[in-house]
Amino acid sequence: MQPETKNIAILGSTGSIGKQALEVIRANETVFAVEVLAANSNADLLIEQALEFNPNCVVIADESKYHYVKEALKTSDVKVFAGNKALAEVVEMDDIDMVLAAIVGYAGLESTIAAINAGKQIALANKETLVVAGDLVTRLAKEKGVNLYPVDSEHSAIFQCLAGEFHNPVEKIYLTASGGPFRGKDKSFLAGVKKEQALKHPNWDMGAKITIDSASLMNKGLEVIEAKWLFGLKPEQIDVIVHPQSIVHSIVQFTDGSMKAQMGLPDMKLPIQYALAYPQRIKTNFKRFSFFDYPQLTFEQVDIKTFRNLALAFEAMKKGGNAPCVLNAANEIAVDAFLNDKISFLQMSDIVEKCLQTVKFIEHPDYDDYVLTDKTTREAAVLMI
Ligand code: NAD
Ligand code: MG
């Protein structure tokens, strides 16, 4: 019997993850249908996607683009909405089975929470959601019977390794890190790097924010916190190991000492498809791994002294409360400033560290506390630029 089509809402459809998700859907038209497409301001691409995939509706967060999108889609039956409020409302639509949360940054929090509240299954790319409010988001998901399927490649790897092991305790996990474009470099080198260098990731082609985060190792810091919440781990159960080839996507070590790793060529379409189709594996024509292209897979210790962001993320995770929310907000401001040539590469960590020291600590934050923490941290960080 043919299973029913799964109706997907893609929040962030014009981004790197969103576009690759649409490639997966295009290749599996009988398995998936697009119900909602949402983007920030890239109206032309959103229109093009809407004309191809014919969703029930599209949302453009930037309200000034509403009339442009509406006009372009007037001969279709695609409904058009605009603004952040609409974004949080459309995810409640009855026909949606799963929401792919692929907005970048804190901006993805509200719509992800709204989708969980509406009982939608979540394919989670937006790691910042769990960094900012992991406690609240995972509790809510449990309460609503919603699964959070990881899209991040490392977390998808851990999730795949845990298949069939749900009653076996995990001793620890190793998140692999490529090391980014500046692996092996020292602080004096990092002091002078320009955004063009930081934007050249050796193994992955991603959005600008996550590419800078990968170069500064903040991405791995955010992923450590993401893993804590997704898999219910203690900070000391999470380790990071540098693996420059990005073939081993992460490793789980069980209490008997056995280790399971998930491997494959670096291609985000694979974890995206696994999250969308879980528990099925769908046949693909993605390029296969050849041992002879990679005669050596290597592993090395992460240089946490040079790449301070990772140490700061571990600290924030251990401190808990609103500290990871502060870390995230400060980092978003810092990355934006670096991308606009306003601060140097190393100043990004300075800003994050200062915000962690100065923004008021809240041990048991509720949603409003997170919103306020994000706002105050951004204001404090902007003053440091
Ligand atoms: P991107 O910058 O390429 O795309 C971001 C998307 O979010 C765009 O569609 C944009 O229109 C939308 N967006 C941004 N701000 C918005 C707002 N205020 N309201 C509505 N929409 C908004 O980013 P990306 O690389 O696709 O990353 C998306 C998320 O997935 C991030 O959280 C990132 O950490 C995570 N992720 C990405 C990759 C990757 O390979 N790109 C891998 C793992 C995890
Ligand atoms: Mg990742």
Side-chain angles (χ1 to χ4, degrees), residues 255-275:
T255 43
D256 58 357
S258 173
M259 297 165 100
K260 276 169 102 175
Q262 187 265 336
M263 298 169 61
L265 289 173
D267 182 346
M268 282 308 295
K269 290 198 291 304
L270 216 151
I272 292 170
Q273 176 172 302
Y274 190 75

Side-chain angles (χ1 to χ4, degrees), residues 35-144:
E35 193 64 17
V36 177
L37 292 171
N40 189 25
S41 62
N42 189 346
D44 288 325
L45 183 54
L46 184 66
I47 292 163
E48 191 188 315
Q49 293 175 339
L51 291 173
E52 180 184 349
F53 289 93
N54 196 31
N56 184 325
C57 71
V58 297
V59 184
I60 182 100
D62 179 348
E63 296 184 34
S64 69
K65 304 267 173 79
Y66 172 75
H67 290 290
Y68 183 74
V69 178
K70 180 87 184 151
E71 183 62 25
L73 295 178
K74 74 176 177 200
T75 55
S76 74
D77 39 355
V78 179
K79 298 184 203 80
V80 180
F81 302 108
N84 287 325
K85 197 159 166 273
L87 196 63
E89 281 170 6
V90 291
V91 293
E92 295 173 5
M93 282 174 19
D94 281 349
D95 285 346
I96 299 171
D97 298 312
M98 180 176 249
V99 172
L100 171 60
I103 290 175
V104 58
Y106 177 89
L109 179 67
E110 192 186 353
S111 49
T112 307
I113 290 182
I116 298 173
N117 258 320
K120 307 301 180 189
Q121 300 303 312
I122 307 286
L124 189 73
N126 178 241
K127 63 190 82 184
E128 293 91 346
T129 291
L130 288 181
V131 173
V132 169
D135 179 38
L136 186 153
V137 169
T138 50
R139 255 188 300 125
L140 187 65
K142 211 171 197 179
E143 193 186 306
K144 300 285 177 185

Side-chain angles (χ1 to χ4, degrees), residues 125-175:
N126 178 241
K127 63 190 82 184
E128 293 91 346
T129 291
L130 288 181
V131 173
V132 169
D135 179 38
L136 186 153
V137 169
T138 50
R139 255 188 300 125
L140 187 65
K142 211 171 197 179
E143 193 186 306
K144 300 285 177 185
V146 162
N147 293 321
L148 304 173
Y149 297 104
V151 168
D152 217 344
S153 58
E154 296 77 0
H155 306 73
S156 176
I158 302 287
F159 184 54
Q160 293 182 53
C161 292
L162 289 174
E165 302 277 5
F166 293 110
H167 299 289
N168 290 328
V170 168
E171 188 165 86
K172 72 188 295 180
I173 64 168
Y174 290 93
L175 294 179

Side-chain angles (χ1 to χ4, degrees), residues 297-308:
L297 295 180
T298 60
F299 299 89
E300 50 192 73
Q301 205 172 20
V302 61
D303 179 0
I304 207 159
K305 282 213 172 79
T306 306
F307 295 91
R308 282 160 53 220

Side-chain angles (χ1 to χ4, degrees), residues 220-353:
K220 212 47 58 181
L222 302 179
E223 291 185 352
V224 164
I225 302 173
E226 181 186 13
K228 168 192 150 85
W229 292 113
L230 277 176
F231 306 112
L233 300 170
K234 296 195 185 78
E236 55 276 17
Q237 289 177 290
I238 309 171
D239 222 330
V240 173
I241 189 90
V242 173
H243 168 50
Q245 298 83 15
S246 296
I247 297 297
V248 174
H249 297 306
S250 278
I251 301 155
V252 177
Q253 182 175 306
F254 294 93
T255 43
D256 58 357
S258 173
M259 297 165 100
K260 276 169 102 175
Q262 187 265 336
M263 298 169 61
L265 289 173
D267 182 346
M268 282 308 295
K269 290 198 291 304
L270 216 151
I272 292 170
Q273 176 172 302
Y274 190 75
L276 295 185
Y278 183 86
Q280 249 187 300
R281 285 191 188 273
I282 305 176
K283 186 170 168 51
T284 71
N285 59 5
F286 303 159
K287 189 167 182 260
R288 280 5 185 201
F289 173 79
S290 158
F291 285 94
F292 309 105
D293 289 342
Y294 294 88
Q296 280 194 319
L297 295 180
T298 60
F299 299 89
E300 50 192 73
Q301 205 172 20
V302 61
D303 179 0
I304 207 159
K305 282 213 172 79
T306 306
F307 295 91
R308 282 160 53 220
N309 278 347
L310 186 55
L312 293 171
F314 265 102
E315 256 174 55
M317 172 172 63
K318 285 177 191 153
K319 194 165 171 191
N322 66 341
C325 177
V326 172
L327 175 97
N328 179 69
N331 182 59
E332 286 192 27
I333 294 293
V335 170
D336 190 60
F338 176 69
L339 282 171
N340 285 296
D341 301 312
K342 289 188 183 144
I343 59 170
S344 69
F345 189 80
L346 290 177
Q347 267 173 296
M348 290 195 286
S349 306
D350 295 340
I351 290 175
V352 172
E353 184 166 29

